Structure formats: structure tokens, C-alpha cells
Amino acid sequence: MTAKQRIIIVGAGISGLAAAFYIKRHKPDVHVTVLEAADRIGGKVKTIYKDGFTIECGPEGYMARKKGLTDLIKAIGLGDQLVHSKSGGYSIYVNHRLRQMPKGAVMGVPTKLLPMVTTGLVSPWGKLRAAMDLLIPHVYQDRDLSVRTFFEKRLGKELVANMIEPLLSGIYNGDLSDMSLEETLPQFASIEKKHRSLILGMKTLRPPKQKEAVTKKTGAFVSLSGGLSALTEKLADYADEIRRNTSVSQINSGRVTLDDGTVLNADAILLAASPKQFGPLLNFPEAWALSNDKRSSTATVAFAFKKEDVEALDITGYVVSRKEQLHITACSFMDRKWPHLAPDGYAFVRTYVGTPEDQALVQQSDAAIAQAALADLRTISRIGTPLFSIVTRQIDNMPQYTVNHKQRVQAFENALSTIDGVFACGAMLHGVGLPDCTENARQTAEQAVHYLNTLEHAHS
């Protein structure tokens, strides 16, 4: 009788746990062991329940149009917990006041003339400079360049500083000056390639008016009513064994060496750890190149309030221009966006702290971070005294896709393919969002299963 095949997954974040599910779905008889250095599973996904609040400390949801993760959630039996965000406007805090994003703007890129002409976000000169996009020749020439270079050449510095940078910084927490266009916003490179003008190209992407009317009541995001930790906990059930507080020091073909010197043998190994672990664990130049790439540290602060203590702005959140020199980069009124997260009569505000230029605050105490965040919130709107606050940090753990990231990932994957039975997935490679991580995990799991099947046939 042939011995049961074994696979070890290093890392119990969303990528590693999703990989465990996909491996078991395609090959139920393989023994899956997941090794996790921390004392908890889930990685950046973490839900806390306190006084009737459901508090997402990491991701709060994902883009509804990315169907792969929705399919996964349904496949593991959590489809009845899927909830859509509520639709609502968002604003930008710039020039010392909240200003509404012009209608029709996508990621800060204008697609409608009138709202752009009348917005207070950009000066008359800035608007004229942005309109030059209609005449400017191609900027992207099939070679990667920074997001800042691309958008400033097309739309001008003012529109980038006041509209595009606050939005993208809130999403990627990166510096536009070295952020890769090809890896973070490839759709804009494609639009320019096809239409030359971004403004003209973006117009073609606008949904028909009747479709807008249908989707108006729900927002663009999906989450789980019980909190996203329900997803990682359910995925964990598919692993045969999960070892917490288990740090790995080295990965080689067929074996994993733990920090205490213990060697675990496996037919295949899948690395799904944080980006800083790729170099130390695999120890080849292309893995070190990824580990040495830029990362940032961020913190989120969740505040609970009585409803009347938070000014009733007609938005679900806002982003902050860096020109304002505040510590916070964005704020979400979570009870408006996701009503299930707060009890009736209470407000739940989540704010984001830390930029590539302002990393020091993230290292300070919870009280200092919460105090700085609250002071900034009060600068922008009327906010009372919180009932409690919860601070969550991601230290040196947020991958920054810098220029030519795609080429570094390709070089890494080529080098990794020469090591028999070792595979890798995770936020460092093909997207930092939950759907990107789970899709990468699915593809990597299928590669690992194919390898195991090949081994099996060779021995039969």
C-alpha cells in the first residue's frame, strides 16, 4: 500500500488557508499540515467582538466584482453570511475642508466634464492642466513606470495631489513616486494604450444609466455578517493539522527545518508566509530581492461612539490629502457602510494611520496612536468621546509593488520552479487584496496537486 502523500503549508494567513482548501478539494487523500509562527491563524484577517460591535482589525471586505472569493465562500458553506456594503458618497479632505469627489470620477480620474469644471478640489489652472490629457501623446510605452510619473504627465500635479494620491494612498498605503503602474493599476496602462486619453478611455467604461439605478442601493463591496474571521476559521477546518507558534528557519526540496532544528519531511511544500520571510526561508537571490523590496507599516484605530456623538455627514467615509499633514490617511463610518457591525444607536468609526513618510507614530503606544487619530478626526468633523478604541498594527508587513515588480516576481517564480516540489503564493506576488490572494492560492494549490499527481504516477 502506498504511503499517504504529505504537503506542508508555511503560513496560516488567508493565502495559506485557502491553499489548504483547494488542495483538499482536488486531492482529498493528501495530508495537509499548516505551520504558523504566530499564536493565531488568519494573518491580517482578524475580527474582534466587543459590546455588540463586530470589529474588523484587518480587511473589512472585498470588491464584489471579484467573483472568485464569493465562489469560495459559497463552497465552504458561508454563502448565507454574505452581505453587501451600503452605497454612499465619499469625500476628500483637502485645503482644510471635506470636498465631495466629482461625479463620474474613477480613482480620481474625471470622466464627466461638468462635475469636474464645478469641483472645488482643483483650481481653474489645475482643471485646465487636467484637460490637456485630451491632447497629450502616450506616456506608457510598454515599460513600467511609477504611478506618479504616469498620472502627473497625463493629468498634472495638482489633480494627482488633491484627488488621485489620497485615494490610492488609502488603498495601497504606498508612495506614488515608486509604485508600479503595471502591477497596481494595469487597467490605466491598458486604457491609455487603447484610447491614448485617459478621460476619453474612462468614459467607455462607465456603466449604462439603467444599470447605475439598479445597483445604487448596494455598494461595491462584500463581507460576511459574522466577520471575516469566520472565513479563515472555516478554511482552517480543511487542514489535517495546524501547528501554531511554530517558526520555520529553512525550506528545501522535500523538507522544512524548524527554528528548533526539527526537520519535517513532505512530498511538497507551499510557502504562504509574509514577504519578509521569502529570502530567509528560500535563500536564493530572487527570493531575497522580493524580501528586500519596499514594505510599509500601518495602524488602524477602531472607535466606538454613541450615535449622537458623531456628526451625521452624508458620506460613508473620506480620504485625506497628504498636503494637510495629518496623521490619518482615511476614515470610514463603518456603521453606515456596514450596518451589521454596530448595535442600534451606536456609531463605529475606523481610521487609518501611517504613511511611507510618517512611520514613527505606528511604533508608539496604543494610547498615543488613538489620541493622535482622534485629534485628526476632530480637526475634520465633530466627534465626541469614544466608548472604547482598538488599535491594530501591521509592522513592516504591507508589500509595496514598486516599479518593475512584475519582472522581479517573474524572476522569482522562474528560479523557484527549479526546486522540486516547492511552491509559493501570497500578497507579495500577484495582488494584496483578499480575492487576489485567494486566486493566487488556488492556482498555486493546483500546481502543487499536479506535482503530487505526477509523483504518484511515477511511483505506481
Side-chain angles (χ1 to χ4, degrees):
M1 184 174 162
T2 309
K4 196 171 192 179
Q5 287 184 314
R6 305 181 75 85
I7 186 165
I8 291 174
I9 297 172
V10 180
I14 186 68
S15 299
L17 296 172
F21 164 77
Y22 286 118
I23 287 165
K24 292 297 265 189
R25 185 165 78 166
H26 291 293
K27 199 170 177 63
D29 56 336
V30 71
H31 186 278
V32 176
T33 298
V34 180
L35 307 178
E36 171 54 53
D39 60 359
R40 56 172 289 274
I41 63 164
K44 294 185 183 76
V45 175
K46 183 181 179 183
T47 311
I48 291 175
Y49 307 94
K50 182 177 171 68
D51 299 343
F53 290 85
T54 300
I55 301 155
E56 297 292 7
C57 300
E60 63 184 70
Y62 65 93
M63 294 291 287
R65 62 182 170 79
K66 297 196 173 185
K67 303 289 188 187
L69 182 49
T70 300
D71 292 341
L72 169 61
I73 286 167
K74 290 176 178 176
I76 62 174
L78 295 179
D80 59 339
Q81 287 196 34
L82 285 164
V83 286
H84 276 265
S85 61
K86 299 296 180 187
S87 64
Y90 59 95
S91 296
I92 298 178
Y93 185 71
V94 65
N95 298 331
H96 309 306
R97 58 174 280 201
L98 284 171
R99 299 168 190 271
Q100 195 171 11
M101 177 62 76
K103 285 185 178 173
V106 179
M107 290 284 194
V109 177
T111 64
K112 291 182 177 178
L113 186 60
L114 187 61
M116 191 59 206
V117 169
T118 56
T119 183
L121 278 167
V122 185
S123 70
W125 164 246
K127 294 169 187 175
L128 190 62
R129 173 59 187 87
M132 293 293 289
D133 168 76
L134 298 167
L135 306 173
I136 289 168
H138 290 278
V139 172
Y140 174 69
Q141 304 281 356
D142 290 318
R143 289 182 61 184
D144 201 10
L145 68 165
S146 77
V147 169
R148 184 180 301 283
T149 297
F150 177 74
F151 282 113
E152 284 188 352
K153 283 188 174 181
R154 290 232 61 92
L155 299 164
K157 291 185 177 181
E158 188 183 351
L159 187 138
V160 170
N162 290 6
M163 289 174 60
I164 293 175
E165 184 170 51
L167 288 173
L168 296 187
S169 296
I171 297 168
Y172 295 101
N173 191 53
D175 183 347
L176 269 57
S177 298
D178 55 20
M179 193 186 292
S180 163
L181 178 70
E182 289 182 346
E183 280 293 84
T184 54
L185 297 165
Q187 67 272 36
F188 287 100
S190 300
I191 287 165
E192 199 219 36
K193 195 169 182 178
K194 184 176 180 182
H195 300 277
R196 184 188 52 76
S197 161
L198 283 185
I199 295 173
L200 293 177
M202 296 296 284
K203 276 180 176 292
T204 66
L205 300 182
R206 288 219 316 265
K209 279 184 180 169
Q210 65 270 24
K211 194 173 179 184
E212 282 179 1
V214 171
T215 58
K216 207 168 186 181
K217 289 181 183 175
T218 58
F221 296 90
V222 179
S223 192
L224 295 178
S225 58
L228 284 171
S229 282
L231 168 60
T232 49
E233 285 162 13
K234 188 77 171 180
L235 287 172
D237 291 342
Y238 290 87
D240 295 287
E241 178 186 20
I242 294 181
R243 299 190 195 179
R244 296 170 178 81
N245 300 304
T246 305
S247 296
V248 174
S249 64
Q250 195 174 6
I251 292 173
N252 300 98
S253 182
R255 71 182 189 276
V256 169
T257 306
L258 305 184
D259 271 2
D260 64 5
T262 304
V263 175
L264 304 177
N265 296 312
D267 298 283
I269 297 151
L270 195 152
L271 174 59
S274 71
K276 54 191 165 192
Q277 295 300 317
F278 277 46
L281 296 185
L282 296 170
N283 199 25
F284 57 82
E286 295 83 357
W288 278 108
L290 289 182
S291 276
N292 291 335
D293 210 344
K294 194 173 180 182
R295 294 186 298 276
S296 66
S297 299
T298 60
T300 59
V301 191
F303 290 106
F305 297 92
K306 289 184 178 176
K307 197 88 161 179
E308 62 267 24
D309 289 337
V310 176
E311 186 177 345
L313 302 172
D314 192 25
I315 51 176
T316 53
Y318 56 81
V319 292
V320 180
S321 170
R322 288 189 183 168
K323 295 196 309 183
E324 301 304 306
Q325 297 189 311
L326 298 180
H327 294 294
I328 65 171
T329 59
C331 167
S332 290
F333 299 108
M334 301 292 280
D335 55 302
R336 297 173 202 168
K337 192 173 180 182
W338 306 101
H340 68 281
L341 297 182
D344 288 344
Y346 291 86
F348 173 21
V349 178
R350 189 183 191 206
T351 188
Y352 304 77
V353 173
T355 67
E357 308 85 29
D358 178 23
Q359 298 279 283
L361 181 60
V362 178
Q363 309 287 345
Q364 292 187 29
S365 68
D366 286 6
I369 293 172
Q371 188 175 2
L374 189 60
D376 284 357
L377 290 172
R378 287 171 171 164
T379 298
I380 296 170
S381 65
R382 183 183 61 78
I383 296 276
T385 302
L387 303 169
F388 64 83
S389 63
I390 292 175
V391 175
T392 308
R393 295 173 185 76
Q394 293 292 340
I395 302 296
D396 191 30
N397 205 25
M398 302 295 288
Q400 302 296 298
Y401 288 5
T402 56
V403 174
N404 293 321
H405 179 265
K406 185 189 286 186
Q407 290 78 3
R408 285 190 294 280
V409 169
Q410 186 65 62
F412 165 77
E413 291 180 336
N414 289 342
L416 186 67
S417 68
T418 66
I419 305 175
D420 283 346
V422 178
F423 306 87
C425 62
M428 188 69 232
L429 301 176
H430 297 288
V432 298
L434 293 176
D436 303 309
C437 288
T438 51
E439 175 58 20
N440 186 208
R442 182 188 67 78
Q443 294 173 359
T444 308
E446 288 174 1
Q447 291 169 14
V449 167
H450 176 73
Y451 174 80
L452 291 171
N453 289 338
T454 304
L455 274 187
E456 209 167 41
H457 292 145
H459 292 148
S460 61

